[in-house]
Amino acid sequence: MAITIPDVIGQNAKIAQNKLKALGFTDVELASATPKYQNVFVPANWTVVGVEPPPGTSVSAADTVVLKVTKP
């Protein structure tokens, strides 16, 4: 079953992650878009700046969705 990726850019990473999981995505990963930070430990402290595949793309619920996030 295909699910369309919503536009979550600009949202809090924890809220965006929960929204994607609620839609049925099973593999939602967070990737730091800030060079000085390697790992994302507390998603609530981060903001989504990009999504791969891009918003509007229809993919399988089992496909990996990567939220690119930055920390202010």
Side-chain angles (χ1 to χ4, degrees):
M1 177 180 131
I3 304 172
T4 301
I5 297 174
D7 185 358
V8 293
I9 293 171
Q11 294 186 13
N12 177 283
K14 183 67 177 167
I15 293 168
Q17 187 179 40
N18 288 342
K19 189 177 287 187
L20 291 171
K21 288 183 177 181
L23 286 173
F25 289 105
T26 55
D27 189 7
V28 180
E29 296 181 5
L30 299 176
S32 174
T34 305
K36 69 178 181 175
Y37 298 111
Q38 298 276 322
N39 300 305
V40 179
F41 292 114
V42 183
N45 293 340
W46 297 72
T47 302
V48 179
V49 294
V51 182
E52 290 181 8
T57 305
S58 290
V59 296
S60 166
D63 286 354
T64 301
V65 177
V66 179
L67 298 177
K68 294 192 177 254
V69 296
T70 60
K71 192 172 180 180

